[in-house]
Amino acid sequence: MKVKYFFQKSFWQNFWQSLSDIEKKIFWGSLVLMIGSLIIGGVFWYLSNSEVVAKEGGVLVEGLVGQPTTLNPLFASNEIDQGLSSLVYSGLLKSNGKGGVMNDLADSYEKSEDGRHWVIRLRKDVVWHDGVPFTADDVIFTINAIQNPDTRSPYRVAWQGVTVTKISDYTLTFDLKNPYAFFEENLKQKIIPKHIFAEIPLANMQDLSAYNFEPIGTGPFAYEKFDATKKGYINYYIFKANPHYYNGRPFIENYIVKFYKSEAEALKAFDYHQIDVLSNVSASNLANINRSYQLYEFSLPQYFAVFLNASISKPLSDRNVRYALNHATNRKEIIDEVFQGRAESVEGPILSWMPGYDPALQSEYSLDTAKQILESGGWKDLDNDGILEKVLGKNEDPTPLKITLIVPSTDFLIQTASLLKKQWKEVGADVEIKIVDSSDLQNNFLTTRLYDALLYGNIINQKPDLFPFWHSSQKFYPGLNLSLYENASVDRFLEEARLTTNENQYKKALANIQSLILADTPAIFLYNPKILLIAPPSLHIENLEKLDVSSERYANVYRWYVKTKRVLTNSKSD
């Protein structure tokens, strides 16, 4: 039989007529099975030899609670301003999301053994959003502007004693008057374009330059527009992907940031799919979200504490009282109730994952111990009102163990204060809580230091520089020594930690600082809450672990994506 006969119509007519009903059913079943097998096999082969990858395109909308005041990185000092600035501008170095740093505008850098001479080599493939090449002149202009007092940059102190010199268009040096162990943090400073700002008087830059709100940077996203009411309330910002970004064009096409007056309002917008990303979500609100989401958690090098002002409060000038309050503080209860367990317990000026930390110095929560310390220190309930008293001076009336606690008007701090009031009452301390808004806090307490105790937080960096928070020279505003703490030995170790380039000496200095501060107990250290970010499952964000500030979550924003495609494994580079 010739092969061509199989393709003739008559053959198939005779073949079909020769089959019985059962044989016809078997034939069709076999044919369907064979085709199905081919399809399944083809799909299986395709899935086995391909993978899902990011695809350019899509719009991402983030919600922020609050208002921006500037996008100029020379003045951006709050979280919103720093975040928006990070979308547009770049620094010489940036966070790697794991607690370290990596090159950004810098192609490489090296430092002398004593840490005083730094050589920075810049990338040569960077252009500003308006197409002008980025060079060393932009870096030098930025640093000089920060150092000039006319500019009024809050970062001026960090750059005092630093000389920047141009070697070539893409090489420059930094020379430090004194060694500074934390200078890499300085190199995260975002750089502004000389060709835009050079003609603006430095004294006018902060208040009069339109570029503070319509920035031109080198970062992954370029400014497109913003919308504001006549009264000056900014509704949203729109940024577009920078096609010339030196790390590659971002996958997200448009990044939109909307602003809300409260977390409740922002969460409602998330539920209604009006925004895709919301950070700094309160742990207590997670259970109330009515939309599927992916939760991201990361840590900042920060702690919240009750700073005790022994120079104002007579009871707190007694170290036994400070010891007793520390033992009477149930951190686990606070963390469980306020943060649903999403926080790290903190008992000293450095965190458990930082160099120099000694777990043996942890204090035990014990009401019995707290009561014994107070009793042995002469504190007694003389009038049976539940509040302890003690005669602190000759011919003085008994002083009651009463403390006024200043608390910023923030939900989790107010909850914390309420729990502390309850816990400390169990050992005979009477706590009056005074809640203040940000303006009152700044003008009447932070600048004056007129308080018994203050519930507040400090950010100390991954490689902690504790000098601004505990050195005696920082007792008064604008210093950050909120307990007005003074200890000559601590001062010496703080200075040593700043100057040494030897890692072992640095760790030893931190360990000594921790030990001495805990022995004096100028503060009741409480916790470090996790930073919580929610996003839809369709958004892919690179995992973050440890950042110095919340705005560093944008360090790899150009890798975020919402759209995907499947490509053959051997064709990824096509």
Side-chain angles (χ1 to χ4, degrees), residues 392-418:
L392 296 178
K394 189 176 181 180
N395 300 323
E396 288 187 5
D397 292 333
T399 298
L401 183 45
K402 292 186 176 182
I403 303 165
T404 300
L405 177 60
I406 305 302
V407 183
S409 183
T410 303
D411 287 346
F412 75 89
L413 293 178
I414 295 172
Q415 293 176 56
T416 299
S418 178

Side-chain angles (χ1 to χ4, degrees), residues 73-144:
L74 270 61
F75 310 107
S77 57
N78 65 54
E79 186 174 315
I80 290 180
D81 293 350
Q82 290 173 344
L84 297 178
S85 176
S86 296
L87 291 172
V88 178
Y89 292 98
S90 307
L92 298 174
L93 303 180
K94 67 176 181 178
S95 168
N96 64 3
K98 306 293 187 294
V101 296
M102 60 188 296
N103 291 333
D104 198 7
L105 292 173
D107 187 56
S108 66
Y109 69 98
E110 58 192 50
K111 62 180 178 178
S112 61
E113 188 173 342
D114 63 2
R116 295 176 60 182
H117 181 73
W118 295 66
V119 179
I120 312 292
R121 296 177 180 83
L122 304 175
R123 297 181 65 127
K124 298 179 180 180
D125 56 350
V126 181
V127 296
W128 295 97
H129 293 156
D130 58 4
V132 175
F134 161 80
T135 69
D137 291 331
D138 298 303
V139 180
I140 294 172
F141 173 80
T142 299
I143 305 309
N144 287 341

Side-chain angles (χ1 to χ4, degrees), residues 177-332:
K177 184 177 181 180
N178 297 304
Y180 182 52
F182 313 101
F183 188 66
E184 282 183 337
E185 288 300 313
N186 285 36
L187 298 180
K188 291 181 181 178
Q189 171 64 50
K190 301 294 188 292
I191 305 302
I192 62 174
K194 178 181 179 180
H195 69 280
I196 295 294
F197 288 100
E199 300 302 318
I200 301 173
L202 293 179
N204 296 343
M205 186 185 295
Q206 182 173 6
D207 300 320
L208 300 180
S209 174
Y211 291 106
N212 291 336
F213 288 93
E214 301 175 4
I216 293 176
T218 55
F221 289 92
Y223 162 79
E224 187 167 282
K225 65 176 291 189
F226 74 90
D227 177 77
T229 66
K230 289 183 178 180
K231 293 183 178 181
Y233 185 90
I234 296 178
N235 295 311
Y236 63 80
Y237 257 94
I238 298 180
F239 304 94
K240 59 184 178 181
N242 175 10
H244 306 297
Y245 185 52
Y246 48 89
N247 282 320
R249 180 191 178 96
F251 292 112
I252 302 295
E253 183 63 32
N254 287 108
Y255 202 111
I256 301 174
V257 182
K258 294 182 177 181
F259 304 97
Y260 297 90
K261 296 178 181 178
S262 68
E263 183 179 346
E265 187 181 62
L267 284 168
K268 185 177 180 180
F270 184 82
D271 279 343
Y272 289 168
H273 295 247
Q274 295 170 350
I275 61 175
D276 305 305
V277 178
L278 182 62
S279 62
N280 293 310
V281 177
S282 301
S284 58
N285 283 328
L286 292 177
N288 301 322
I289 298 173
N290 299 311
R291 175 185 175 185
S292 61
Y293 65 90
Q294 175 75 29
L295 177 65
Y296 296 87
E297 300 182 24
F298 52 91
S299 297
L300 299 182
Q302 65 178 356
Y303 58 77
F304 288 84
V306 178
F307 296 94
L308 309 174
N309 191 346
S311 63
I312 293 290
S313 169
K314 286 186 176 181
L316 294 176
S317 66
D318 184 342
R319 185 160 60 176
N320 285 323
V321 170
R322 303 197 299 271
Y323 281 168
L325 294 180
N326 194 36
H327 282 289
T329 302
N330 188 341
R331 293 169 179 81
K332 185 179 187 306

